Amino acid sequence: MPRISPRRAAVPSFAALSAALVLCSCSAGAGTQGDDAPSVGQEPHLVAGIGTAEDSAGPAPAVEGARRGGTLRIANLRDASHLDPQKIYAGEAYNTSLLWGRQLTQYQVVDGKAKLVGDLATDTGKASDGSRTWTYRLKDGIAWEDGKPITSQHVKYGIERTFAPGFELGPPYWPQWLTGKQDLAEARKVYGGPKKDGDFKGIETPDDRTIVFHFAKPQSDVPFMAAQSSSSPVRPDKDTGTKYDVKPFATGPYRIVEHRQNRSMTLERNPHWKAETDPIRHQYADKFEFTFEKKELNTAQEILNGRGDGADTVSTKNELPPELYGEATRDPAKKQLVVDGRRGAFTYHLVVRNDRVPDPEVRKAVHYLFPRQQARQALGGPRVGDIATTYSSPAIVGYQKYDTYPVAPTGDIAKAKKHLAKAGKPVKSLTYAYESNAANDRVAQVLVEAFAKAGITLVTKPMPLPAYTNEVLRSPDPRYDLWMSGSSVDWPTPATGVPYRFDSRRDSLDNDPRYKNPAVDKELDRIAELGDATEKAKALVALEKNTIMKDVPLVPFLHQRVQQPRGANVGGAFIHPIYGTISPAWLYLKKS
């Protein structure tokens, strides 16, 4: 698996959470924030359903009140790390690339609810041979930005690129699943990409509209995986190597006409995109103008106050700076310009390194000691997320709400002491590593005070972000007992969550708690062979609920939320229920 992915992203501080976003939802237009942030109970429709061939046909359902025309402005602090579709592996980049890129499948969003449908394909795929073989049929009339037709060979070539050197940071699933090699390096020994090894025999294209995938094992989640940007077509004659990462060739409603990295990017209408083939996207604005490297606070102030181009501007990567939360909450007009939603399937955890804290009674004590409510308040209050009792998010297929060891959000010192008394050895101290900043320093102090009440000295190890990343999150052997980490999935099922985090045979960059339970490993092997995605999801959640979380390998903290600003003249703004940021593909200008 890749070492930096949406599946288990570092979350050093809530003020810097906009770089690794993946699954959220709220009504189009605007939302709430601060202590008025809606609770999980107010967002019942987060899980993505599976659409039919009819749902896949196009055009996309119209956004109520939308109109055509004008230039929409997107102001983000940072440019995307990658635009090459086989290298994109972050929610905001997935989301933005919908403007110019199309995939085999994609998520249609109506009233904040996502439905997986065929995008370039006529449906979400047809399985055979126990889900070892998947067949897709491309739609008629789909074309590149120069008007030439998109073919199954272009889709195959794009996917073949994921095997090649230089694509290591992209999603690993095509190489792993097609070769049956869990280790990506081993998969690339089987096939090294189209420029090195030519044609890959595991993908067939019997004609220009049909593509057939032959997987080594049953793969029930292929329709979801096929929505990743790595499933985008690439035309060999337009494959410019590293330059393709700056200006990919368009298949969506817009094309990139200029991209000055880390400065600006301009998109104009793609005249060869046909709305009747696309059930996902719209082409409301005439043009998109992106700007980068402007301070987040300045951008947000311009948007909320309507200064300059602020009324026509939105941020898809930046979050509303904490300095402006109070002002936006008190002023009803500004409050309407803050778009709030759940950060998809992201859950924030207190990780317990199981091999350093091997006694489950001590880990249970940590669970009862953790003062979630006070820690959340130190981070900013309810706006940062809803208190979690489960490892998995309510945004995934098969989710069950459970509470393995019920505890008040403020903690339970008495129960913690009872479990410590049952421990095989007395525990006098534990270490807690974290990225040092104002909010995280407050959280550390909250934890120190709570643990002290049970007679445990919590030794804090504050670090600057580079050191925290290298010594804790990316280290094969971090010498600390506890730390915070954010976790998500690569699509809205538990298939890329539970099997990666809790399989003892995976390395420490996957299984960061160092959780080890042979019965869990055996059950994961059984579940991996299931050919039905719904059955597989239910089995994984049951394993999480009934076995894994009883061992307390980590302590769930929050199902995270996000708030982003949009200008008063910008309509159609909502937090995308899969990618976790405001989605440009639904935006329009109310007047121009």
Side-chain angles (χ1 to χ4, degrees), residues 355-426:
D355 56 349
R356 289 176 63 95
V357 188
D359 194 325
E361 295 299 329
V362 178
R363 299 199 297 270
K364 290 175 187 176
V366 171
H367 163 79
Y368 285 111
L369 283 173
F370 186 23
R372 296 159 180 78
Q373 184 166 300
Q374 298 94 308
R376 181 176 71 168
Q377 196 59 37
L379 289 169
R383 66 174 176 79
V384 302
D386 302 297
I387 290 176
T389 64
T390 61
Y391 167 70
S392 291
S393 162
I396 65 165
V397 173
Y399 175 77
Q400 291 184 43
K401 185 176 182 180
Y402 64 87
D403 194 348
T404 306
Y405 300 110
V407 60
T410 53
D412 190 324
I413 304 300
K415 282 189 176 180
K417 288 181 176 180
K418 287 181 180 180
H419 285 286
L420 288 172
K422 295 179 183 178
K425 295 180 180 179

Side-chain angles (χ1 to χ4, degrees), residues 110-274:
V110 180
D111 295 331
K113 185 175 181 179
K115 181 188 296 182
L116 187 73
V117 299
D119 184 1
L120 292 172
T122 57
D123 55 29
T124 57
K126 290 181 171 59
S128 58
D129 189 26
S131 292
R132 290 176 176 83
T133 300
W134 283 83
T135 301
Y136 286 88
R137 182 79 173 159
L138 301 186
K139 296 171 182 173
D140 283 324
I142 51 176
W144 294 94
E145 65 175 82
D146 62 0
K148 292 184 178 180
I150 299 166
T151 70
S152 57
Q153 290 83 11
H154 299 154
V155 176
K156 177 179 179 176
Y157 179 81
I159 291 169
E160 287 175 336
R161 294 171 89 235
T162 65
F163 288 81
F167 294 89
E168 290 83 1
L169 292 181
Y173 302 106
W174 286 114
Q176 289 175 332
W177 292 5
L178 286 164
T179 64
K181 304 292 185 182
Q182 183 173 296
D183 185 275
L184 196 56
E186 292 300 312
R188 285 176 167 144
K189 290 179 182 178
V190 175
Y191 176 71
K195 293 186 177 180
K196 177 178 180 290
D197 292 336
D199 181 63
F200 180 66
K201 304 303 182 184
I203 306 174
E204 294 181 303
T205 54
D207 57 57
D208 284 351
R209 292 183 56 206
T210 305
I211 185 164
V212 184
F213 300 100
H214 298 282
F215 298 103
K217 299 177 181 179
Q219 297 295 349
S220 60
D221 280 41
V222 170
F224 290 102
M225 191 265 283
Q228 291 192 304
S229 184
S230 58
S231 303
S232 303
V234 174
R235 216 167 77 193
D237 65 312
K238 295 296 181 181
D239 185 356
T240 54
T242 57
K243 292 181 180 179
Y244 206 72
D245 214 8
V246 179
K247 192 179 178 184
F249 209 54
T251 55
Y254 295 89
R255 61 189 183 94
I256 301 171
V257 294
E258 183 183 48
H259 182 195
R260 297 185 295 170
Q261 282 186 288
N262 302 315
R263 296 177 61 187
S264 65
M265 184 167 65
T266 300
L267 275 59
E268 293 180 351
R269 292 181 187 273
N270 174 5
H272 297 287
W273 171 81
K274 295 179 181 179

